[in-house]
């Protein structure tokens, strides 16, 4: 398995939208906001290349569109006080094919659960999300999970949703939406979530489609406020 340099913590640089759904816990510290996560369990390992291909297909299905933006996997990007200090490096096709997520990960030197971090860029915008693959300790269930932490924009949240659904579907795992709670009650079967929430085919642009997808959930009260990062 291709292992990538780890980044400590899942606090993310403050995105344009600072308003979370009512009751959604959020912590700010030195310009960072604790992440709003969508998760997928990984009972079986899957290639990262398959994740990216399936995520775009899932995204197209959710929005009722034929084409979606390219998604790039970035590593070695460094931040200080919420500011991006290095651009990082995009994984090429060969690296995506050789990288597999879902295998056991060695614990960190301090004994905490092992994790691998990636960043996902969305072409044509400044939107994106973080992906952390974490191998939980036995007392916490001992399973590997993929955790997607989007910027607080409609585009980023919908792409993170599509990626989590794709991982759960590919790995035969569960889709977990405990923080945003788009569906009430929540559902963990990824195909059920796609069927229950997908938009009918339309003529929306991509960003507009992402906004319309999230606005179908009135209890989110218009969150995220921003459609896309400027």
């Amino acid at each position: 398995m291709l292992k990538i340099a780890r980044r400590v913590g899942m606090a993310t640089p403050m995105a344009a939208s600072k308003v979370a759904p009512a009751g959604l816990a959020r912590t700010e510290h030195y310009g960072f906001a604790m992440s709003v996560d969508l998760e997928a369990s990984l009972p079986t390992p899957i290639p990262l290349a398959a994740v990216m291909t399936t995520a775009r297909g899932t995204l197209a299905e959710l929005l009722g569109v034929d084409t979606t933006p390219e998604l790039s996997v970035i590593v070695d990007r460094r931040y200080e006080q919420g500011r991006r200090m290095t651009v990082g490096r995009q994984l090429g096709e060969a690296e995506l094919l050789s990288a597999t997520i879902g295998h056991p990960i060695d614990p960190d030197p301090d004994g905490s659960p092992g994790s691998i971090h990636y960043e996902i860029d969305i072409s044509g915008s400044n939107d994106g999300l973080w992906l952390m693959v974490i191998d939980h300790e036995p007392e916490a269930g001992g399973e590997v999970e993929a955790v997607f932490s989007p910027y607080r924009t409609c585009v980023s949240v919908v792409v993170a949703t599509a990626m989590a659904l794709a991982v759960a579907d590919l790995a035969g795992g569960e889709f977990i939406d405990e923080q945003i709670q788009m569906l009430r009650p929540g559902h963990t079967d990824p195909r059920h979530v796609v069927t229950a929430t997908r938009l009918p085919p339309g003529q929306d642009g991509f960003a507009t489609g992402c906004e319309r997808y999230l606005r179908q959930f009135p209890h989110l009260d218009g969150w995220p406020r921003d459609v896309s990062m400027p």
Side-chain angles (χ1 to χ4, degrees), residues 122 125 127 153-160 206-207 210 214 226-228:
I122 303 166
S125 74
D127 297 282
T153 66
C154 293
V155 168
S156 300
V157 171
V158 173
V159 171
F206 175 69
C210 289
L214 289 175
D226 295 302
V227 175
S228 181

Side-chain angles (χ1 to χ4, degrees), residues 14 26 28 31 33 38 63-64 90 96 98 105 113 124 136 145 150 158 164 172 176 185 199 201 209 227:
M14 187 68 71
R26 182 171 63 84
E28 297 179 17
L38 294 146
L63 300 182
Q90 180 178 341
L96 290 174
S98 65
I105 305 170
H136 291 287
E145 279 191 332
V158 173
I176 303 164
L199 300 177
V227 175

Side-chain angles (χ1 to χ4, degrees), residues 95-113:
E95 290 176 294
L96 290 174
L97 288 169
S98 65
T100 302
I101 61 174
H103 287 292
I105 305 170
D106 294 336
D108 287 336
D110 63 2
S112 60

Side-chain angles (χ1 to χ4, degrees), residues 9-34:
M10 284 303 291
T12 58
M14 187 68 71
S17 176
K18 299 183 180 181
V19 181
L24 185 67
R26 182 171 63 84
T27 302
E28 297 179 17
H29 180 64
Y30 296 115
F32 281 71
M34 294 307 294

Side-chain angles (χ1 to χ4, degrees), residues 127-175:
D127 297 282
L129 56 135
W130 285 264
L131 164 58
M132 178 174 70
V133 184
I134 184 168
D135 193 350
H136 291 287
E137 297 174 340
E139 56 267 29
E143 68 177 356
V144 181
E145 279 191 332
V147 181
F148 297 88
S149 303
Y151 301 178
R152 305 285 180 93
T153 66
C154 293
V155 168
S156 300
V157 171
V158 173
V159 171
T161 300
M163 294 197 70
L165 288 166
V167 168
D169 196 21
L170 284 168
E174 293 186 339
F175 170 75

Side-chain angles (χ1 to χ4, degrees), residues 17 19-22 24 36-38 59 61-64 122 127-129 150-163 165 175 177 179-184 193-194 196-200 204-229:
S17 176
V19 181
L24 185 67
V36 175
D37 299 331
L38 294 146
L59 186 58
E61 189 174 2
L62 290 178
L63 300 182
I122 303 166
D127 297 282
L129 56 135
Y151 301 178
R152 305 285 180 93
T153 66
C154 293
V155 168
S156 300
V157 171
V158 173
V159 171
T161 300
M163 294 197 70
L165 288 166
F175 170 75
D177 174 20
Q179 297 183 357
I180 301 174
Q181 297 183 0
M182 287 176 279
L183 290 180
R184 293 183 171 181
V193 174
V194 171
T197 66
R198 64 189 176 193
L199 300 177
D204 289 333
F206 175 69
T208 302
C210 289
E211 181 182 25
R212 191 157 67 92
Y213 179 84
L214 289 175
R215 299 299 182 247
Q216 71 179 299
F217 309 110
H219 58 277
L220 296 186
D221 193 27
W223 181 91
R225 307 298 185 203
D226 295 302
V227 175
S228 181
M229 287 285 286

